């Protein structure tokens, strides 16, 4: 049993792709006294976060905030829009897409997976776990569904198990090109507030997200952003739901309150997170993550290791998957890095177990956070005996230095 109160010197590097490190400003906001969730002060907080979160999702429509992890919001999205036995088209991008499909089965839906077939010669891993959603496969399948039995298309925007970010606008265009009325339901649990995401512009009906990634909060709240079409579908959807039902929450949220006890202290944190994101500016936040991801990939390429995402057009700005050579257990490398350098990296999930590790560069991350993270990775890879082609740290520092800019607003 590890000693939970053991504190090595310095700070722990939590470089998994969520939960991401929580900035002090947010921790302080969360530490304020809990207030009466039916009192006047709470209504102001509720209205503030409900309005602010719409801007983060880039939507004018309601966003439901649940006191639950992302998995709860996945269930809410399906339970509010679908009926028992409904066919759902889901796209296999990796482990989280697979978990969501398993949930759809357990809820009594009939999910069908589409995926890029075959395996990749370089790594022996499935193509679909190294590439983004191929919108044309969705279009082809919908065109064959002349009876319009498929009620929803579900895709993961940022597949956290692989580090691939799919083109959601292309999926919308594919659904429209097929002339199909299916709802578009998107998981951006790990993408929101680090990768650009536009609920309204991309024509998404339900967007699912969570607090513990780009929003820099601890785990514990999650979201459904809605469209008018999704709200309409929820009026006739028959899957059982009570806690997850949108209608009462959306109605009460108009005054800033919830029908049950909401997660007051995490909502303080959410208000602070939204303010921080607005202060920096969403375009700047997205650009910061794109640049950090470029530097991270430069490091992996200099090590001579494959990046899990095989298609440069859809590299994730949130995390980078590093494939270890055949015969090298990626979890053994992670263990060395954890034990010697006090840093947590993401494990390989599902089909990728032992074949890769994941470096998170989401949320409250800057150049020197990434530089230190890559230093820990490089030392750990060497200690674990992985042959490296060159210094990834040097390549990343070179990229960061060449592309660095003064902070937009420094004091003084
Ligand atoms: N979907 C994606 C893309 C995720 O990254 C995660 C968690 O990492 C989930 C769903 C599940 O969310 P949670 O673990 O908060 O329930």
């Amino acid at each position: 049993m590890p000693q939970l109160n053991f504190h090595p010197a310095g700070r722990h590097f939590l470089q998994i792709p969520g939960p991401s490190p929580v900035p002090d400003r947010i921790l302080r906001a969360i530490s304020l006294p809990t207030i009466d969730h039916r009192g006047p002060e709470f209504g102001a907080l509720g209205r503030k976060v409900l309005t602010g979160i719409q801007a983060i999702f880039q939507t004018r429509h309601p966003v439901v905030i649940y006191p639950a992890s992302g998995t709860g919001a996945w269930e809410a999205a399906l339970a509010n829009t679908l009926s028992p036995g409904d066919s759902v088209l889901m796209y296999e991008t990796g482990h989280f897409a697979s978990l969501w499909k398993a949930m759809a089965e357990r809820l009594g839906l009939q999910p069908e997976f589409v995926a890029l077939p075959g395996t990749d010669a370089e790594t022996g891993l499935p193509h679909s776990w190294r590439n983004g959603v191929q919108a044309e496969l969705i279009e082809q399948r919908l065109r064959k569904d002349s009876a319009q039995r498929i009620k929803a298309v579900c895709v993961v925007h940022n597949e956290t198990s692989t580090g691939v970010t799919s083109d959601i606008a292309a999926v919308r265009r594919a659904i429209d090109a097929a002339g199909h009325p299916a709802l578009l339901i998107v998981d951006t649990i790990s993408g929101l507030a680090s990768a650009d995401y536009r609920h309204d512009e991309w024509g998404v009906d339900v967007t699912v997200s969570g607090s513990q990634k780009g929003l820099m909060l601890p785990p514990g709240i999650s979201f459904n952003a809605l469209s008018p079409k999704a709200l309409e579908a929820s009026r006739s959807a028959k899957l059982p739901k009570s806690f997850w039902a949108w209608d009462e929450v959306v109605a009460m949220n108009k005054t800033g309150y919830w029908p049950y006890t909401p997660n007051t202290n995490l909502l303080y944190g959410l208000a602070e997170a939204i303010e921080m994101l607005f202060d920096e500016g969403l375009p700047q936040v997205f650009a910061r993550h794109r640049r950090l991801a470029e530097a991270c990939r430069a490091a992996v390429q200099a090590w001579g290791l494959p990046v899990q995402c095989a298609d440069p057009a859809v590299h994730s700005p949130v995390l980078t998957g590093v494939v270890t050579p055949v015969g090298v257990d990626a979890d053994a490398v992670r263990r060395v890095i954890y034990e010697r350098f006090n840093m947590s990296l993401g494990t390989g999930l599902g089909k990728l177990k032992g074949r890769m590790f994941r470096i998170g560069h989401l949320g409250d991350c800057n150049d020197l956070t990434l530089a230190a993270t890559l230093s820990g990775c490089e030392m750990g890879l060497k200690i674990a005996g992985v042959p490296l082609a060159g210094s990834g740290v040097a390549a990343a520092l070179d990229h960061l230095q060449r592309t660095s800019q003064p902070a937009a607003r420094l004091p003084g």
Side-chain angles (χ1 to χ4, degrees):
M1 175 82 182
Q3 256 182 288
L4 290 179
N5 59 357
F6 173 68
H7 180 74
R11 77 164 172 89
H12 176 69
F13 271 70
L14 182 65
Q15 299 305 135
I16 58 175
S20 64
V22 182
D24 293 351
R25 243 179 95 169
I26 293 184
L27 286 173
R28 277 197 299 274
I30 289 172
S31 74
L32 290 173
T34 304
I35 52 172
D36 174 7
H37 61 290
R38 313 228 184 258
E41 241 183 293
F42 188 91
L45 170 68
R47 287 191 296 276
K48 183 172 173 188
V49 291
L50 287 161
T51 312
I53 199 68
Q54 285 178 308
I56 303 291
F57 279 93
Q58 306 195 44
T59 183
R60 289 175 295 116
H61 303 296
V63 179
V64 177
I65 307 177
Y66 293 108
S69 87
T71 304
W74 258 354
E75 179 162 343
L78 301 177
N80 276 285
T81 53
L82 299 164
S83 298
D86 275 356
S87 296
V88 183
L89 190 64
M90 302 183 106
Y91 195 101
E92 183 180 356
T93 41
H95 185 64
F96 287 103
S98 306
L99 290 180
W100 202 10
K101 175 173 177 266
M103 170 186 275
E105 275 158 6
R106 281 199 299 272
L107 290 174
L109 299 168
Q110 291 189 24
E112 173 185 332
F113 243 171
V114 274
L116 209 50
T119 52
D120 171 80
E122 185 190 20
T123 58
L125 297 170
H127 280 310
S128 59
W129 289 49
R130 294 199 71 195
N131 289 275
V133 170
Q134 311 290 303
E136 64 278 9
L137 294 182
I138 292 177
E139 183 178 335
Q140 281 161 21
R141 180 64 191 89
L142 292 179
R143 280 187 189 280
K144 285 198 200 128
D145 182 36
S146 46
Q148 301 187 337
R149 301 172 70 86
I150 295 170
K151 299 298 175 213
V153 173
C154 298
V155 293
V156 175
H157 172 232
N158 188 74
E159 178 52 78
T160 326
S161 63
T162 62
V164 176
T165 306
S166 288
D167 182 347
I168 300 303
V171 177
R172 174 79 266 166
R173 285 195 298 274
I175 298 173
D176 293 348
H180 201 288
L183 294 165
L184 173 56
I185 307 184
V186 178
D187 165 345
T188 189
I189 287 181
S190 58
L192 190 76
S194 287
D196 194 3
Y197 189 85
R198 305 172 187 204
H199 178 85
D200 287 2
E201 188 185 316
W202 295 346
V204 181
D205 292 302
V206 188
T207 301
V208 180
S209 196
S211 56
Q212 72 273 27
K213 314 264 187 183
L215 287 173
M216 308 172 284
L217 297 168
I221 49 178
S222 55
F223 310 91
N224 275 181
L226 314 181
S227 75
K229 188 172 159 187
L231 278 163
E232 185 58 39
S234 72
R235 293 192 187 107
S236 53
K238 298 273 181 312
L239 275 180
K241 62 196 157 293
S242 169
F243 176 74
W244 302 119
W246 293 334
D247 51 1
E248 272 186 45
V249 188
V250 171
M252 267 194 88
N253 275 176
K254 291 200 171 100
T255 54
Y257 295 89
W258 271 256
Y260 46 75
T261 314
N263 212 326
T264 311
N265 290 57
L266 285 181
L267 296 181
Y268 291 144
L270 179 59
E272 196 72 14
I274 293 169
E275 204 168 303
M276 288 170 73
L277 291 162
F278 287 164
D279 277 355
E280 186 175 352
L282 282 186
Q284 287 76 9
V285 170
F286 303 145
R288 170 165 56 84
H289 287 95
R290 277 197 302 273
R291 183 172 156 273
L292 292 172
E294 281 160 15
C296 191
R297 287 195 300 277
V300 181
Q301 279 149 10
W303 289 329
L305 298 174
V307 172
Q308 177 68 32
C309 175
D311 177 2
V314 287
H315 279 144
S316 171
V318 168
L319 76 141
T320 302
V322 183
V323 182
T324 49
V326 175
V328 173
D329 176 6
D331 283 337
V333 178
R334 287 177 51 249
R335 199 170 320 117
V336 165
I337 294 168
Y338 176 75
E339 287 172 0
R340 303 215 186 187
F341 306 114
N342 192 18
M343 176 162 74
S344 295
L345 296 167
T347 186
L349 293 167
K351 295 179 186 175
L352 305 176
K353 186 82 194 140
R355 287 302 321 279
M356 56 88 86
F357 63 87
R358 297 169 297 145
I359 303 172
H361 32 75
L362 65 168
D364 190 34
C365 188
N366 68 12
D367 290 19
L368 296 187
T369 320
L370 184 70
T373 299
L374 294 170
S375 302
C377 292
E378 187 160 309
M379 291 188 285
L381 284 161
K382 285 183 180 169
I383 294 166
V386 179
L388 301 180
S391 172
V393 173
L397 294 189
D398 184 57
H399 183 83
L400 291 173
Q401 172 237 309
R402 274 189 295 104
T403 57
S404 68
Q405 300 273 342
R409 292 198 296 134
L410 276 183

